[in-house]
Amino acid sequence: MSKAVGGSVVRHAVTRKLRHLMAPRLEGLPVGSQVVVRALPGASGASSAALALDLDGALAAALSKGRRRAEAASAGVGP
């Protein structure tokens, strides 16, 4: 995590929050998925509820993009 998020104590606190928020969401991901969660500087002052909303939005967008790629691949379209 970047030092732009804050000092060591703040970065570790954000890491713990994100790990806690991500744990129950893992079962909703396709088997074999790999996820990287990157905290931006604003994460240090964000509440857990705000982080959860951002995380849910990012996961939904990633899953949607993955589905579109899978559909295009099965149709023989794209790279």
Side-chain angles (χ1 to χ4, degrees):
M1 187 174 306
S2 168
K3 288 186 179 181
V5 174
S8 177
V9 173
V10 172
R11 288 194 315 271
H12 285 90
V14 171
T15 298
R16 286 189 301 274
K17 278 184 187 180
L18 290 172
R19 188 178 298 130
H20 176 75
L21 291 168
M22 193 62 202
R25 290 162 172 82
L26 291 175
E27 64 189 39
L29 299 175
V31 174
S33 296
Q34 295 183 4
V35 178
V36 175
V37 178
R38 179 173 176 245
L40 298 175
S44 62
S47 67
S48 290
L51 289 174
L53 285 174
D54 286 346
L55 189 56
D56 287 339
L59 288 172
L63 288 171
S64 176
K65 186 175 183 178
R67 278 191 219 102
R68 287 193 309 268
R69 282 186 178 175
E71 290 169 1
S74 68
V77 179

